[in-house]
Amino acid sequence: MTNSVNTNAGAMIALQNLNRTNMELEQVQSRINTGLSVAGAKDNGGIYAIAQRMRSEVSGYKAVQDSLNRAVSTVDVALAAGEAISDLLIEMKEKALASADSSLDTASRSALNEDFKALRDQISTIVSNAEFNGTNLINNSVASISALANADGSNTITVLDENLSLGGGVVTIAATASYATATQADTIASQLGTSLDNVNAALARLGTKSKALEIHSTFVTKLSDSLTEGIGNLVDADLARESARLQSLQVKQQLGIQALSIANQSPQSILSFFR
């Protein structure tokens, strides 16, 4: 090996090794600071691209979850209103059947009719107030509502409107329905029986859709969690391993500095040739 004051090969090798150690140390510190082994495309372009696509899907499923939650709430409000209407129809039928008794006097039938009309008007009040986020599924104001089912919006879950308004397709009695005679009361009682069957069928349809929305919401939550876990498996750093590596590189850095210092002193040995 040539002794020279112009070229110190040992120092250059020591500096190269020290620089390499410093770069590895910087990488480990970045992983510890961010908790990520792949924080950007520079770390691993392929893995970063895959992780970004999966993050986009997770973000999309968050929107899907919000859409499903709104739909569930809207349907549940409609269900609560429909159940109340069903109870009111039962009471109204009871009043009408009692009034259909031909032995009942006019005053008693009139009193029952007043109760009947109060219950009838309560149905209209319930129908008009059964809305969530500006959407009412039982007053015929919308044909249906749709909730997102997947992250790209290509699939939806649709819930059809159930018109529970008085005189509508489900509740057949008119908004002005009342009776003055036993015959009229009997006719209305028959209509109420039909209306009650219709309302219960509508509630069954709404209940089925509500259940479907909840099931899909649970599935979307699990799917989103699985994707998030998958992203973590791709890009998260093993902090226990990185901590051990940090200790090793810190020692290696100190040794590299010491080796460079020794290599820088080697040209001084040339002075002994001139003594």
Side-chain angles (χ1 to χ4, degrees):
M1 182 176 180
T2 302
N3 292 309
S4 172
V5 295
N6 294 319
T7 304
N8 189 339
M12 287 190 292
I13 293 173
L15 183 58
Q16 290 172 7
N17 290 330
L18 180 59
N19 287 337
R20 188 179 301 111
T21 299
N22 287 337
M23 289 178 60
E24 292 178 3
L25 189 59
E26 181 180 348
Q27 184 183 56
V28 169
Q29 288 174 330
S30 175
R31 289 178 176 176
I32 292 173
N33 289 336
T34 63
L36 299 172
S37 61
V38 181
K42 184 171 66 174
D43 297 325
N44 188 321
I47 295 298
Y48 180 79
I50 294 171
Q52 283 296 90
R53 188 180 72 250
M54 294 174 68
R55 288 188 181 107
S56 175
E57 292 181 10
V58 170
S59 179
Y61 281 120
K62 177 64 170 62
V64 171
Q65 189 67 64
D66 291 341
S67 178
L68 289 168
N69 288 339
R70 284 193 299 271
V72 167
S73 297
T74 302
V75 175
D76 285 350
V77 168
L79 276 172
E83 289 167 0
I85 290 170
S86 180
D87 292 338
L88 287 171
L89 289 174
I90 291 173
E91 289 189 57
M92 290 169 67
K93 185 178 179 182
E94 180 185 354
K95 303 294 182 186
L97 283 175
S99 299
D101 187 351
S102 58
S103 64
L104 200 66
D105 62 85
T106 302
S108 297
R109 185 174 291 109
S110 178
L112 287 170
N113 185 48
E114 291 302 316
D115 288 344
F116 174 88
K117 289 192 292 184
L119 295 171
R120 177 202 68 195
D121 293 341
Q122 186 62 32
I123 290 178
S124 296
T125 301
I126 290 173
V127 169
S128 63
N129 286 282
E131 69 175 45
F132 177 83
N133 196 33
T135 302
N136 191 319
L137 263 183
I138 63 170
N139 70 347
N140 202 34
S141 60
V142 296
S144 63
I145 62 169
S146 296
L148 296 173
N150 60 357
D152 61 10
S154 60
N155 290 330
T156 60
I157 298 175
T158 301
V159 183
L160 297 177
D161 172 80
E162 299 287 351
N163 183 13
L164 302 186
S165 303
L166 293 170
V170 178
V171 180
T172 59
I173 64 167
T176 58
S178 65
Y179 50 82
T181 66
T183 302
Q184 291 174 346
D186 185 62
T187 300
I188 287 178
S190 178
Q191 291 176 348
L192 285 168
T194 301
S195 296
L196 189 57
D197 290 341
N198 292 343
V199 168
N200 292 337
L203 289 174
R205 290 190 292 269
L206 288 173
T208 298
K209 283 297 185 179
S210 179
K211 187 67 175 178
L213 288 167
E214 290 179 354
I215 290 172
H216 196 69
S217 177
T218 300
F219 165 72
V220 167
T221 298
K222 290 182 178 179
L223 182 57
S224 180
D225 289 345
S226 296
L227 286 172
T228 301
E229 184 179 355
I231 293 169
N233 291 336
L234 288 173
V235 303
D236 285 355
D238 184 343
L239 294 181
R241 177 179 295 177
E242 298 300 335
S243 176
R245 192 168 176 224
L246 177 65
Q247 298 290 329
S248 173
L249 288 171
Q250 285 175 335
V251 172
K252 191 175 179 181
Q253 182 188 51
Q254 294 172 8
L255 291 173
I257 293 172
Q258 197 167 19
L260 180 60
S261 177
I262 294 171
N264 284 333
Q265 292 174 5
S266 63
Q268 296 181 14
S269 63
I270 298 175
L271 293 174
S272 63
F273 300 148
F274 302 94
R275 292 175 185 167

